[in-house]
Amino acid sequence: MKNYEVIIVGGGLAGLTAATDIALSGHKVLLLEKHPYPRHKVCGEYLSAEVLPYLDTLGIKLPGEIAIDTLSWSVPGRQPVDTRLPLGGIGISRYGLDALLYQRACTAGAMVEFETVTEIRPGDKSFRVYTKEQVYESRVVLGAYGKRDALDKSLERDFITKRSPWLAVKAHYHFPDWPSNKVGLHTFTGGYGGLSKTELGTVNFCYLVCYNVFKRYGNIEQFTEQVISRNRELGEFLDEAEMAFESPMTIAQISFERKNPVEQGILMCGDTAGMIHPLCGNGMAMAIHSAAIAARLVSQSLSSSSFDSLQLQRQYAKEWEKNFNDRLRVGGLLQRILLTESLASFAQATLARSPQLLRAVIRATHGKTIQV
């Protein structure tokens, strides 16, 4: 059995960031991830600027930054509304970002093994983490394995028993004329999609749709032609753009149900702790922010002369809820409005007359710059 101070299950944005931070604090960290890097993931690929100073303190220099300062929002049948983003952000692919974070975690001293975790067993003073190849033991475990996993069933998490109607689809496109400083958010019947440029030179188009609407059309091609393209902004983009992928990537059963930030003593980070609706454009930053909170508290606890796991769990849950609960609530309300066509049209007309109100809505789903 191999022993570590901290084991992190999952190597997405939250897991890799936490591994780097905790390793830089001098603690023995193991990160367990199923798949090697680099690889594409279904994601909006817009990173809010609120986390950039924090990443800088970890020695993470983002490549080929695409600075985004403008949001363009439309609903079918209306002209788009453009507004300046209060904080702004960057466009960066998960293909590039995850690989960069992985390299930084390794140079910071974190151990990374590409293994599938099959079970996590909490004990009185430590955890045992089982993979198909090995058994590991640690004082602290962070769960950062994403939106849903077989581990959620073994941990008996409430949300995993409820069916979710959401399907996400993503692909990159060649579209040289797309403005680098703009992120687009455009609705259609049953869903909405985002457009933004990445450091790869391609434009990422990622959309979320209710599966009950999608299944009426049989496949992605028919749904794109008969539903998505009815939004003029999306229709014009898809008519002119050339897909860079062989085929779109998909994820089903995406859940926005409430999740607990601590389960059986495991500190949950990123999407494993809770998902904000993608229309808010804050999911990537929230994952990194949650990792920053967990890493700080874990490092403080492990450095203390009297490690108290229950106190660590209480502190993390309190910090997570303070930073993210309001954002999740506003995000859920916005999604309900935008997916109700009459309300979406009214909201768009109202916000078109008041850019200040639109910026206030954006601020409500974003946090302040992480203090470093």
Side-chain angles (χ1 to χ4, degrees):
M1 185 183 302
K2 297 183 179 181
N3 293 281
Y4 292 85
E5 290 181 277
V6 182
I7 292 176
I8 300 171
V9 181
L13 300 181
L16 289 165
T17 303
T20 300
D21 197 334
I22 296 170
L24 288 172
S25 296
H27 300 290
K28 190 177 179 183
V29 183
L30 170 68
L31 185 144
L32 297 168
E33 164 58 31
K34 293 179 182 179
H35 306 292
Y37 308 96
R39 65 184 187 276
H40 288 285
K41 289 185 177 181
V42 177
C43 180
E45 300 187 331
Y46 168 82
L47 179 62
S48 172
E50 67 200 68
V51 301
L52 299 183
Y54 168 66
L55 292 178
D56 191 58
T57 67
L58 300 183
I60 296 167
K61 307 295 183 183
L62 302 179
E65 293 184 14
I66 304 296
I68 296 173
D69 60 15
T70 300
L71 168 69
S72 182
W73 172 38
S74 76
V75 299
R78 287 189 175 271
Q79 291 293 320
V81 175
D82 288 5
T83 190
R84 195 168 187 84
L85 292 165
L87 278 177
I90 65 170
I92 186 166
S93 70
R94 292 295 300 276
Y95 185 90
L97 180 56
D98 286 37
L100 176 68
L101 294 178
Y102 163 62
Q103 293 168 1
R104 182 64 186 113
C106 292
T107 60
M111 292 294 298
V112 180
E113 299 288 351
F114 295 104
E115 301 178 22
T116 298
V117 174
T118 57
E119 187 179 4
I120 304 171
R121 290 185 188 173
D124 291 337
K125 295 184 179 180
S126 65
F127 293 85
R128 287 191 177 181
V129 178
Y130 295 78
T131 73
K132 295 177 181 178
E133 296 83 8
Q134 187 62 266
V135 180
Y136 302 95
E137 190 171 47
S138 69
R139 299 171 75 183
V140 178
V141 171
L142 271 58
Y145 48 80
K147 300 171 180 63
R148 60 190 297 123
D149 190 271
L151 287 172
D152 291 313
K153 291 184 179 179
S154 67
L155 292 170
E156 299 180 342
R157 304 186 77 190
D158 289 341
F159 84 92
I160 201 68
T161 62
K162 303 172 184 176
R163 288 190 60 81
S164 175
W166 299 108
L167 170 72
V169 181
K170 169 251 182 80
H172 281 189
Y173 291 82
H174 296 295
F175 191 86
D177 294 334
W178 181 262
S180 296
N181 71 318
K182 181 180 287 188
V183 59
L185 175 63
H186 307 291
T187 70
F188 47 81
T189 301
Y192 51 86
L195 293 164
S196 60
K197 200 161 191 177
T198 74
E199 86 289 357
L200 301 175
T202 51
V203 177
N204 181 47
F205 176 41
C206 187
Y207 67 85
L208 186 77
V209 60
C210 181
Y211 185 72
N212 288 336
V213 175
F214 176 83
K215 70 181 181 181
R216 301 172 196 163
Y217 298 88
N219 56 51
I220 289 174
E221 291 75 17
Q222 290 184 28
F223 184 74
T224 299
E225 180 181 346
Q226 298 181 42
V227 179
I228 293 177
S229 293
R230 291 179 185 172
N231 180 303
R232 189 183 68 180
E233 303 300 312
L234 293 176
E236 291 179 354
F237 172 82
L238 292 169
D239 281 344
E240 299 179 30
E242 178 186 354
M243 190 185 297
F245 290 1
E246 289 186 9
S247 60
M249 301 174 66
T250 62
I251 294 180
Q253 287 288 304
I254 297 175
S255 176
F256 298 101
E257 294 284 340
R258 178 177 171 80
K259 301 175 182 178
N260 294 323
V262 179
E263 291 279 8
Q264 297 188 36
I266 302 166
L267 310 186
M268 302 300 190
C269 299
D271 290 346
T272 316
M275 283 188 62
I276 195 166
H277 295 276
L279 65 91
C280 300
N282 199 230
M284 290 172 68
M286 274 185 55
I288 291 171
H289 192 171
S290 67
I293 295 169
R296 172 175 55 83
L297 294 174
V298 167
S299 295
Q300 290 173 353
S301 294
L302 290 174
S303 300
S304 172
S305 57
S306 56
F307 175 75
D308 187 334
S309 61
L310 290 177
Q311 178 66 12
L312 170 62
Q313 294 164 33
R314 286 193 291 267
Q315 287 178 322
Y316 179 69
K318 181 179 179 180
E319 286 286 315
W320 197 95
E321 291 171 359
K322 181 178 75 174
N323 281 279
F324 305 124
N325 269 4
D326 288 345
R327 293 193 226 179
L328 294 174
R329 185 170 59 252
V330 173
L333 176 61
L334 285 175
Q335 175 152 297
R336 287 193 292 274
I337 291 172
L338 290 187
L339 294 184
T340 304
E341 292 186 19
S342 59
L343 292 177
S345 183
F346 175 77
Q348 206 260 10
T350 301
L351 294 174
R353 296 191 296 269
S354 178
Q356 295 86 356
L357 179 58
L358 179 54
R359 284 193 288 273
V361 171
I362 295 168
R363 288 192 189 95
T365 61
H366 289 62
K368 298 179 181 179
T369 301
I370 299 177
Q371 297 301 310
V372 293

